[in-house]
Structure formats: C-alpha cells, structure tokens
Amino acid sequence: MNWDQNENMVEQILRTGMYAKLYDEERTYGYLTYLTYRMEDALFTWKKESDADGFWADLTWEEYIAFLQREKTLLLAAQRVLLNTVMAFPASAFDFTLTEAEVDFPVMRYDSTGMLHMAKLYSFENCISIVEFLMFRAERAYYPLWKEQRGPHYTWELYIVELLHSRREFVDPLSRAFRNALVQLNFLPAWQMIYPTIQEDTEIE
C-alpha cells in the first residue's frame, strides 16, 4: 500500500465526522504515545536479538532514539510501520465479548532520567487521526452486531448517535475491544518487511 494514499484515506474518513469520539484528546494522545513506543520498541528488541554482534550490539535505548530521529529514511519507515500496522488490523480481531480490558499499558524502556524517551513521528493532529482511525475500525466491526439485533432500518447514523448518547452497557464492549486491540497490534512483521530494504542506508557507523 502507498503511504500517501493511506494517509489521505485516513484523513478522508475522519474528516466526515461520521464516527464517535469516545475519548478526549488527552486520552487519545496517550494511546498514540503507547503505540509509538511499542512500534519503536519492536524494532529495537528485534535487532538487539538478531544482530547481537553487529551495529545494534552496544546500542542503548537513548542512542537508538537519537539514531531514529537523525535518520530520515528510518523515520519515514517508522511512520509506515505504525500506520500500516494499524490499518491492517482485521475487523475480526476486535473482541466484543471481553469483560475486562487493559487499564495500564506496560512500558519498559526509560531513559537514564527515568523518563519515557521516544522519537516524535507526526504532528499532533496526525497522531490523533491514527488512533481515531483504529477506533473507527472498531466501530465499523461493532455495528453489524447491533444492526442484526435492531433490524434493517438501523442505520449507521442512528448507531453513531446511540454510541454518543447511550448507556455504558452499550459502549463498554466497544471500548474494551478497542483497548485490547492496542495491546494486540504487532509491529514486528512490518519491521521485518521494511527494515531490510533500508538497512544499508541507515546503518552507517
């Protein structure tokens, strides 16, 4: 899939406004921070394990983040990995039967000052769009379950209104499925496909 086409499609879908924003911007940005961290950690963990005697052998997390921020080719690859992984998450993987979902998302990589040190990939607006697109996908997957119960006249517009104004019993399964999806996203396959194509250009000692 083409990066520019993917980004435009995300923006077009979200620009319609025909989805429910279930979280405020602060919470949404927190989810994006978690996804960005996991995407960056996936490459770091993989290369530390698979390149134990090479370029990555003695690279610290702080050095890796500086490397990621410095190398434009790698930074663009990271953007593709994040967006493509979110977009590829299948509708069938949203689990609306969960009775519980993640409350705290574990983060293991901190810099020497105890802060979460990460490379910034997007503007704030684009960051929010990526998370909201995943929520939109969850809402699309949740809709048929209710249309089957409510009948053929239950439109998408009625469904969105109900999401925005209904009781927790209606919204909570969607929210739990979405939060579970944040944990289930696997960034490694995309890295394993993309990174070898840029490795020679980025690993210059």
Side-chain angles (χ1 to χ4, degrees):
M1 292 185 290
N2 180 273
W3 158 257
D4 293 328
Q5 290 176 350
N6 287 345
E7 187 175 30
N8 290 338
M9 185 168 67
V10 171
E11 291 177 356
Q12 183 178 359
I13 289 171
L14 296 176
R15 197 180 297 120
T16 66
M18 289 305 297
Y19 65 99
K21 295 184 179 181
L22 300 184
Y23 305 105
D24 59 26
E25 285 194 348
E26 182 177 359
R27 179 75 64 86
T28 302
Y29 189 74
Y31 291 148
L32 190 281
T33 299
Y34 170 70
L35 291 183
T36 303
Y37 155 76
R38 286 198 51 230
M39 179 275 300
E40 294 176 0
D41 180 67
L43 175 62
F44 185 74
T45 300
W46 170 46
K47 295 306 294 181
K48 290 289 281 186
E49 293 175 352
S50 63
D51 191 23
D53 298 320
F55 175 84
W56 294 78
D58 299 318
L59 206 65
T60 66
W61 177 260
E62 291 92 334
E63 291 169 339
Y64 160 64
I65 294 301
F67 168 54
L68 177 55
Q69 292 174 322
R70 181 179 66 249
E71 296 294 332
K72 185 175 181 180
T73 301
L74 182 58
L75 195 65
L76 291 173
Q79 291 175 340
R80 291 197 302 272
V81 168
L82 180 57
L83 182 60
N84 289 355
T85 301
V86 168
M87 294 191 70
F89 192 79
S92 59
F94 289 106
D95 186 352
F96 301 109
T97 67
L98 296 171
T99 56
E100 296 181 0
E102 290 289 342
V103 176
D104 298 315
F105 298 104
V107 174
M108 304 300 294
R109 308 286 186 186
Y110 295 94
D111 65 17
S112 57
T113 66
M115 300 295 291
L116 179 57
H117 189 48
M118 295 164 41
K120 183 178 180 181
L121 301 182
Y122 300 96
S123 68
F124 177 79
E125 291 77 12
N126 285 338
C127 286
I128 295 300
S129 293
I130 291 171
V131 176
E132 290 185 350
F133 179 73
L134 185 63
M135 172 56 73
F136 172 79
R137 292 288 300 277
E139 292 173 5
R140 284 286 303 273
Y142 194 45
Y143 171 59
L145 302 179
W146 287 97
K147 186 175 179 64
E148 184 178 353
Q149 293 187 34
R150 302 290 172 83
H153 300 296
Y154 188 61
T155 65
W156 175 263
E157 290 78 8
L158 288 173
Y159 165 68
I160 294 301
V161 170
E162 192 165 12
L163 279 178
L164 292 173
H165 300 288
S166 193
R167 295 173 297 178
R168 292 185 58 185
E169 290 82 358
F170 183 78
V171 179
D172 280 358
L174 170 63
S175 181
R176 287 192 291 266
F178 168 76
R179 291 174 64 85
N180 183 64
L182 296 177
V183 179
Q184 298 302 318
L185 283 166
N186 183 6
F187 299 96
L188 183 57
W191 272 126
Q192 290 175 329
M193 179 178 298
I194 291 175
Y195 189 76
T197 67
I198 64 170
Q199 185 167 355
E200 292 185 2
D201 296 329
T202 56
E203 294 184 11
I204 302 175
E205 302 199 48

